[in-house]
Amino acid sequence: MTETTTVRLLIIGPPGAGKGTQASRIAERFGVPAISTGDIFRANITGGTELGTQVQAIIERGELVPDELTNRIVADRLAQADAARGFLLDGYPRNVEQVHALDGMLEGDALDAVVLLEADVDEVVARLLKRAELEGRADDTEDVIRHRQQVYAEQTAPLIDLFSERGILVRVDGLGSVDEVAARIADGLEARLGAAVEVE
């Protein structure tokens, strides 16, 4: 990508599909910030902020943070200088209402591509249970994980049709090694954006 190119990307997929890992690689490749609402929320929880306290109670119930709160946080982040040349969103928008809110923030500068990581639910649940054991994540019980998968199916999956209709959806098999998935993403983005995307 050239210095003057602006690229606005989104990565979506079920919780545990490996979005965070791939997001950092994509963002580095394009020289744009990876903006993860999950990271923003966790930083506030760790910092003991008022927002963090609110968010922690919501997350521990396996629920999603309310749209109004999430929209404000994302709008503030996109207004920062490092996002002027583009960004990669991870974890937002999660539903159709948030898509419309994002459309308003971008003021006609639509997303260039949406990477959809597809993964089998049982594979994802097993992956998240293993991560919970390794990292000691108290919120990652099997019941909560499966509830999150159901919430994703109900609220976020409709975005797949919406972005497909807009002609910007890039479907990628999310199962396999990190490098294998990264290569598939690079191929998909190259086809969508019409520009060479290097795989490191």
Side-chain angles (χ1 to χ4, degrees), residues 27-107:
E28 185 176 348
R29 196 172 294 134
F30 284 96
V32 297
I35 299 173
S36 162
T37 50
D39 287 348
I40 294 171
F41 293 151
R42 278 188 286 274
N44 278 274
I45 290 170
T46 303
T49 67
E50 183 180 345
L51 170 65
T53 302
Q54 292 176 30
V55 169
Q56 185 169 21
I58 294 166
I59 290 175
E60 285 178 352
R61 294 195 299 269
E63 298 173 3
L64 297 178
V65 178
D67 289 353
E68 183 183 355
L69 184 57
T70 308
N71 292 341
R72 285 206 318 267
I73 289 168
V74 172
D76 178 70
R77 183 64 185 86
L78 292 182
Q80 295 178 24
D82 66 339
R85 283 187 51 241
F87 51 80
L88 171 70
L89 288 169
D90 170 15
Y92 178 96
R94 287 184 185 271
N95 56 49
V96 173
E97 290 74 20
Q98 289 182 357
V99 172
H100 295 320
L102 179 62
D103 288 342
M105 293 175 212
L106 299 181
E107 298 177 343

Side-chain angles (χ1 to χ4, degrees), residues 1 4 12 17 27 31 34 52 57 61-62 77 100 108 113 117 120 131 140 160 172 184:
M1 308 296 288
T4 57
I12 62 174
R61 294 195 299 269
R77 183 64 185 86
H100 295 320
L117 286 186
D120 177 75
R131 185 178 77 179
D140 278 358
I160 296 169
V172 176
R184 292 178 203 140

